[in-house]
Amino acid sequence: MADEPQKKPHLSALVGHTNGLTKPASLAATATRSTGAGGGGATASSKKLVIKNFRERPKLPDNYTQDTWQKLNEAVGAIQSSISIKYNLEELYQAVENLCSYKVSATLYKQLRQVCEEHVKAQILQFREYPFVMHRSDSLDSLLFLKKINKCWQDHCRQMIMIRSIFLFLDRTYVLQNSVLPSIWDMGLELFRTHIISDKQVQTKTIDGILLLIERERNGEAVDRSLLRSLLSMLSDLQVYKESFEQRFLEETNCLYAAEGQRLMQEREVPEYLHHVNKRLEEEGDRVITYLDHSTQKPLIACVEKQLLGEHLSAILQKGLDSLLDENRISDLTQTYQLFSRVKGGQQILLQHWSEYIKNFGTTIVVNPEKDKDMVQELLDFKDKVDHIIEVCFQKNEKFINLMKESFETFINKRPNKPAELIAKYVDSKLRAGNKEATDEELERILDKIMIIFRFIHGKDVFEAFYKKDLAKRLLVGKSASVDAEKSMLSKLKHECGAAFTSKLEGMFKDMELSKDVMVQFKQYMQNQSDPGNIDLTVNILTMGYWPTYTPMEVHLNSEMIKLQEVFKTFYLGKHSGRKLQWQTTLGHAVLKAEFKEGKKEFQVSLFQTLVLLMFNEGDEFSFEEIKMATGVEDSELRRTLQSLACGKARVLIKNPKGKDVEDGDKFIFNGDFKHKLFRIKINQIQMKETVEEQVSTTERVFQDRQYQIDAAIVRIMKMRKTLGHNLLVSELYNQLKFPVKPGDLKKRIESLIDRDYMERDKDNPNQYHYVA
């Protein structure tokens, strides 16, 4: 054969390599010899392996292609008619393979497509019997139509799967090698899409029917969800879901919820409306999971959110937020926050209304003088309430926390000074010995809460002035509930405002401790005196700079008291020369022993009450004028003192004529028949309702201190800058001063300093100042 010599090189190459490795020459030669049998014309010593060509491929019998196609055509027809196939499936598969082997694939594919196309085209006729102009109310016709189209689709899918299994060899060889040809399954989809679903009337009726079913379900009716799932899955598989269904579905959803939102906003209260919105969102989410295509989720939910929430954000909050907050409806507020967080701009508008609510509600607490008595407690309760709402409903959102703080700061400073004063008084009421409401832990918690409110106040110096005055009373009268609680409060103030703020308050505690040491030494000193006297004297030495300013009142003490004062003065000045002692009679108190018909009693009284009662050792009846002359106590103070002794609960004196107020000419008689269940009785001084004067004087002191601070700040700035414009100076002062101040007040202080030659105006520019060294 002429071809044989050409095959030899291939043979030797194949034999000479094993797995890509070249064998030794001897091994190759042996192999050549061993395969020599059968080589035509070769010698015995050199036999060769000869590879012969295939014999010619056997030809197909005549009419094989036609007969085989006939069989296949019958099988396809049987599948499409849902009857049994009379041929073995394996035989049919083999037939397809044989035809493909003899390059009949193109014809076979064409014939198969034609058969399938004719069958699909024929299916359209069954849908012509339904009326195509249909009202939305014809739901029965519509449902029957949908079931018919669904059955047609299911049958088509089943048939194409069966057909593909027979023509699998064609699908995996010829079709796979021709990229332009669709696979048999895709061809089936294409034919169904082209001849059935793309038919305008069929498509319109199908989509109308699907939308009608969804509308009925939205209205609360039960519908066949598996039918919907199947039909929408069909549209998705045929790649017409978006343009044929989704666009119309979203438009109708938009219209439905736009109308529903408008209607229900009028009809329902906010909590019910929000509950409905939530329900609708859950329903639509469930539709996506159950039968809609996943790609519809985002635009569908966005549409519901926009129409039911986005269009009504302000209206919802204006209509119902205040009442939800007033009534502390936690679950409804949580739902409001969650829903508003879903919509663009929802949180922002909720923040604005939240801030407005806090400011408005807080202003009603702070601005009304009738509420002063309960202001601080109401502020604390309100703060607890908004904290709880932020934590539980608003998921501790930082924006809501920060805006709450800003809002508190805004409303609490709408009324200057008063909140600071009332907070100081509230702390006093909690730290006083009479307060048995709270344990140490509760008291600590209350103080922590107070400090949070205190932070919002601008005029902290007002708080300091009133706090100092009340602290002085607690320390001097021994009324403090707990030294630990006092020191805890002091450390909180120090942490909040710095050491300078609390230095005087700390000085007051230091004075009290030093006074105890001085009294130990004084008692030892008295024991060494020849005549120690009958009165046990205790003195608190106060450094004037630390304590509130007290107006000294000259009164007529009895000789024993004066003698004791002199003894103490000699003792103290002997140890601390160069110091000056000033006795504060208004702060003095004493324990008196008294005898009545019922027996002995002890009275815990103020120094003024002591002076009045001691007069009745000299006689049983005195007029108001006589008592005033003898004691030297100031008129209004004496009237309150006599009121406490003759008109209070413990009436040691009898007033004639009877009455609540002490008038000129009233007579006072010692009550020998006085009775009381206790042995030691405390007779409280009648308090002036924290004297308006006292409040005014404290506030004036604060104002005076502020003026000194402004003056000092101006001089400090000018000394450093030498020359400065008015606006820059004012701006720098606002940065340095820790209390609120009006531009007019600053201008007055600048004028005052110019008058006192600390600074001067520029001759050419009156808004420029120069420092005068």
Side-chain angles (χ1 to χ4, degrees):
M1 291 167 103
D3 293 347
E4 277 181 27
Q6 293 171 1
K7 294 286 180 181
K8 287 176 186 172
H10 294 291
L11 177 67
S12 59
L14 284 167
V15 174
H17 294 79
T18 304
N19 293 335
L21 296 174
T22 307
K23 292 187 179 180
S26 58
L27 182 61
T30 310
T32 307
R33 278 199 300 278
S34 65
T35 54
T43 58
S45 59
S46 174
K47 291 186 179 177
K48 296 174 187 172
L49 177 69
V50 178
I51 293 176
K52 293 183 179 179
N53 281 339
F54 284 120
R55 284 176 295 176
E56 282 184 19
R57 178 185 293 178
K59 287 183 181 176
L60 289 172
D62 293 343
N63 299 328
Y64 178 80
T65 307
Q66 286 175 344
D67 294 347
T68 308
W69 169 245
Q70 193 59 42
K71 270 189 196 176
L72 291 169
N73 194 7
E74 279 178 40
V76 169
I79 290 168
Q80 289 172 340
S81 306
S82 299
I83 56 174
S84 61
I85 306 167
K86 56 185 177 182
Y87 304 106
N88 186 314
L89 287 177
E90 196 175 335
E91 185 188 331
L92 293 170
Y93 180 89
Q94 189 62 54
V96 172
E97 190 176 337
N98 291 342
L99 288 174
C100 290
S101 302
Y102 283 88
K103 297 184 180 173
V104 192
S105 305
T107 311
L108 187 60
Y109 183 83
K110 212 177 204 175
Q111 287 171 320
L112 177 63
R113 180 184 175 97
Q114 196 177 343
V115 169
C116 291
E117 189 164 12
E118 283 166 6
H119 175 72
V120 171
K121 275 182 181 175
Q123 299 304 306
I124 195 77
L125 299 172
Q126 63 182 310
F127 302 116
R128 301 284 187 205
E129 65 196 56
Y130 288 91
F132 280 102
V133 178
M134 200 177 65
H135 300 290
R136 295 299 284 252
S137 57
D138 299 338
S139 55
L140 186 63
D141 273 354
S142 176
L143 186 62
L144 290 172
F145 179 85
L146 290 180
K147 284 182 175 174
K148 192 102 175 168
I149 199 100
N150 185 50
K151 184 177 185 305
C152 179
W153 165 248
Q154 296 296 344
D155 290 347
H156 176 77
C157 290
R158 196 185 66 254
Q159 291 159 15
M160 288 312 297
I161 289 166
M162 196 72 178
I163 290 167
R164 183 178 176 270
S165 67
I166 293 170
F167 289 86
L168 191 62
F169 193 84
L170 176 70
D171 208 27
R172 286 188 175 170
T173 53
Y174 173 71
V175 175
L176 204 60
Q177 289 156 11
N178 286 270
S179 56
V180 290
L181 292 177
S183 69
I184 292 171
W185 174 257
D186 287 345
M187 174 192 75
L189 294 181
E190 185 190 303
L191 293 173
F192 198 90
R193 177 169 63 242
T194 307
H195 297 295
I196 294 181
I197 286 300
S198 289
D199 181 280
K200 197 167 183 187
Q201 290 178 325
V202 171
Q203 188 180 109
T204 304
K205 198 160 181 196
T206 305
I207 303 304
D208 282 349
I210 292 170
L211 291 173
L212 183 60
L213 275 186
I214 294 172
E215 185 186 319
R216 281 171 54 197
E217 190 185 42
R218 281 174 171 163
N219 291 334
E221 294 179 44
V223 299
D224 186 348
R225 289 184 133 205
S226 60
L227 175 63
L228 280 170
R229 183 166 57 244
S230 179
L231 288 169
L232 290 168
S233 172
M234 170 189 82
L235 296 179
S236 197
D237 289 346
L238 297 173
Q239 295 176 347
V240 294
Y241 178 88
K242 276 211 178 310
E243 66 269 21
S244 68
F245 168 76
E246 188 178 83
Q247 200 174 344
R248 272 193 64 195
F249 169 67
L250 291 174
E251 282 169 10
E252 294 211 0
T253 303
N254 212 44
C255 294
L256 169 78
Y257 287 126
E260 185 173 278
Q262 294 287 352
R263 189 182 81 252
L264 295 181
M265 271 303 292
Q266 304 297 325
E267 294 173 6
R268 299 195 180 183
E269 290 302 311
V270 167
E272 292 167 18
Y273 181 78
L274 291 176
H275 183 70
H276 175 78
V277 173
N278 209 39
K279 183 165 157 267
R280 281 302 202 194
L281 285 165
E282 283 173 5
E283 285 172 6
E284 297 302 339
D286 182 51
R287 271 183 199 104
V288 172
I289 293 165
T290 311
Y291 54 76
L292 293 171
D293 191 82
H294 188 67
S295 64
T296 310
Q297 182 174 16
K298 212 171 179 178
L300 171 62
I301 299 300
C303 169
V304 181
E305 287 170 350
K306 180 176 183 290
Q307 294 303 341
L308 293 185
L309 278 175
E311 298 292 326
H312 308 285
L313 292 175
S314 290
I316 290 169
L317 295 177
Q318 282 164 7
K319 187 176 177 183
L321 182 67
D322 285 9
S323 61
L324 294 184
L325 290 165
D326 285 341
E327 294 163 27
N328 208 24
R329 292 172 68 167
I330 297 297
S331 60
D332 292 331
L333 286 167
T334 306
Q335 189 169 65
T336 306
Y337 175 79
Q338 286 169 351
L339 289 173
F340 272 62
S341 298
R342 298 176 71 136
V343 186
K344 189 180 179 185
Q347 259 195 26
Q348 198 52 45
I349 199 162
L350 181 58
L351 272 168
Q352 288 165 12
H353 281 77
W354 164 249
S355 173
E356 285 305 311
Y357 173 80
I358 293 174
K359 286 177 194 168
N360 294 338
F361 192 91
T363 304
T364 60
I365 298 173
V366 170
V367 173
N368 186 357
E370 291 172 15
K371 285 193 170 185
D372 282 359
K373 189 181 171 193
D374 302 317
M375 182 200 288
V376 180
Q377 190 56 55
E378 284 190 26
L379 284 173
L380 290 171
D381 294 344
F382 183 46
K383 180 69 172 57
D384 282 347
K385 177 180 163 179
V386 296
D387 282 347
H388 183 65
I389 289 169
I390 286 172
E391 186 175 345
V392 177
C393 309
F394 299 161
Q395 298 171 4
K396 300 179 185 174
N397 187 317
E398 281 294 323
K399 289 179 183 172
F400 283 83
I401 294 171
N402 294 334
L403 199 61
M404 176 269 291
K405 289 177 181 173
E406 285 173 29
S407 306
F408 259 83
E409 194 171 333
T410 303
F411 79 70
I412 214 165
N413 291 297
K414 277 188 176 174
R415 188 177 173 196
N417 304 341
K418 197 67 185 176
E421 175 192 330
L422 292 173
I423 289 171
K425 290 201 177 111
Y426 185 85
V427 175
D428 176 55
S429 73
K430 295 296 173 191
L431 291 176
R432 240 187 271 145
N435 173 41
K436 297 198 172 79
E437 300 166 26
T439 62
D440 289 349
E441 292 80 11
E442 284 168 353
L443 184 57
E444 188 68 19
R445 204 158 46 246
I446 290 167
L447 295 179
D448 283 334
K449 286 180 181 178
I450 295 242
M451 287 308 297
I452 292 168
I453 303 290
F454 171 73
R455 276 185 202 124
F456 301 131
I457 287 170
H458 289 161
K460 291 185 170 63
D461 49 350
V462 176
F463 171 88
E464 184 200 9
F466 282 96
Y467 183 79
K468 184 161 82 171
K469 183 166 65 63
D470 293 331
L471 174 63
K473 280 184 191 170
R474 292 198 298 275
L475 293 177
L476 294 174
V477 186
K479 269 191 173 180
S480 193
S482 143
V483 176
D484 290 342
E486 293 282 8
K487 290 196 171 169
S488 167
M489 185 65 190
L490 210 57
S491 71
K492 290 181 202 302
L493 289 169
K494 189 173 186 176
H495 181 262
E496 186 63 34
C497 305
F501 186 84
T502 55
S503 60
K504 290 181 180 177
L505 303 175
E506 286 170 332
M508 290 162 74
F509 279 97
K510 202 172 177 184
D511 278 353
M512 294 307 289
E513 284 163 15
L514 288 173
S515 295
K516 284 179 188 171
D517 296 340
V518 170
M519 289 324 296
V520 171
Q521 294 166 10
F522 179 62
K523 282 187 171 58
Q524 290 170 352
Y525 175 80
M526 287 300 285
Q527 283 167 3
N528 299 329
Q529 296 295 307
S530 54
D531 181 17
N534 298 325
I535 301 173
D536 187 8
L537 177 69
T538 303
V539 181
N540 288 317
I541 302 105
L542 316 178
T543 308
M544 282 185 81
Y546 296 157
W547 296 75
T549 309
Y550 300 107
T551 311
M553 191 185 292
E554 291 296 328
V555 293
H556 305 148
L557 301 175
N558 64 22
S559 55
E560 275 191 84
M561 290 180 179
I562 293 168
K563 183 185 168 190
L564 262 176
Q565 275 189 345
E566 289 303 320
V567 171
F568 181 80
K569 193 173 178 181
T570 307
F571 157 75
Y572 186 76
L573 296 178
K575 284 183 168 294
H576 305 280
S577 58
R579 290 191 184 178
K580 185 184 174 186
L581 286 177
Q582 184 183 63
W583 295 91
Q584 291 291 353
T585 51
T586 51
L587 301 174
H589 53 95
V591 176
L592 289 179
K593 291 179 179 176
E595 285 190 29
F596 298 96
K597 289 176 185 175
E598 194 189 47
K600 291 184 178 179
K601 298 281 180 192
E602 285 186 2
F603 293 114
Q604 204 172 328
V605 285
S606 73
L607 181 61
F608 297 154
Q609 289 170 327
T610 305
L611 295 177
V612 171
L613 289 173
L614 288 176
M615 282 183 68
F616 288 89
N617 285 337
E618 311 300 325
D620 287 339
E621 184 179 321
F622 294 98
S623 68
F624 173 75
E625 287 73 17
E626 288 169 336
I627 296 171
K628 186 176 177 182
M629 183 75 70
T631 58
V633 177
E634 185 262 329
D635 190 280
S636 61
E637 193 71 50
L638 181 59
R639 286 178 196 274
R640 283 205 311 281
T641 302
L642 288 166
Q643 247 182 324
S644 68
L645 295 170
C647 309
K649 287 180 182 174
R651 300 189 178 186
V652 187
L653 304 179
I654 297 166
K655 185 171 92 73
N656 191 11
K658 289 180 177 177
K660 280 188 179 178
D661 296 323
V662 175
E663 306 292 346
D664 292 350
D666 282 359
K667 298 239 184 318
F668 294 89
I669 305 153
F670 182 70
N671 180 9
D673 298 325
F674 176 80
K675 290 180 179 178
H676 202 282
K677 60 180 180 181
L678 298 175
F679 172 69
R680 177 175 279 196
I681 303 130
K682 183 175 184 187
I683 303 177
N684 288 325
Q685 182 84 335
I686 300 289
Q687 283 289 323
M688 290 184 289
K689 291 233 166 171
E690 189 193 15
T691 71
V692 179
E693 302 160 31
E694 209 174 346
Q695 280 184 14
V696 169
S697 70
T698 307
T699 310
E700 276 178 1
R701 260 199 321 279
V702 171
F703 182 68
Q704 196 62 50
D705 286 346
R706 284 183 179 180
Q707 290 192 321
Y708 296 145
Q709 287 183 55
I710 295 169
D711 288 357
I714 294 171
V715 171
R716 202 164 47 242
I717 293 164
M718 290 306 300
K719 192 173 182 180
M720 187 170 71
R721 298 290 187 90
K722 305 300 181 201
T723 298
L724 203 59
H726 177 79
N727 290 341
L728 283 172
L729 175 58
V730 169
S731 168
E732 192 68 39
L733 283 168
Y734 276 128
N735 290 336
Q736 289 199 16
L737 297 170
K738 292 178 181 174
F739 48 83
V741 61
K742 293 174 187 166
D745 294 338
L746 293 180
K747 201 167 183 184
K748 282 179 192 169
R749 299 320 304 155
I750 291 168
E751 295 295 343
S752 166
L753 289 169
I754 290 171
D755 291 344
R756 289 180 280 157
D757 294 332
Y758 281 95
M759 53 199 279
E760 61 184 12
R761 284 184 194 279
D762 188 89
K763 287 167 187 170
D764 302 322
N765 181 1
N767 278 334
Q768 192 91 355
Y769 304 118
H770 301 292
Y771 176 66
V772 178

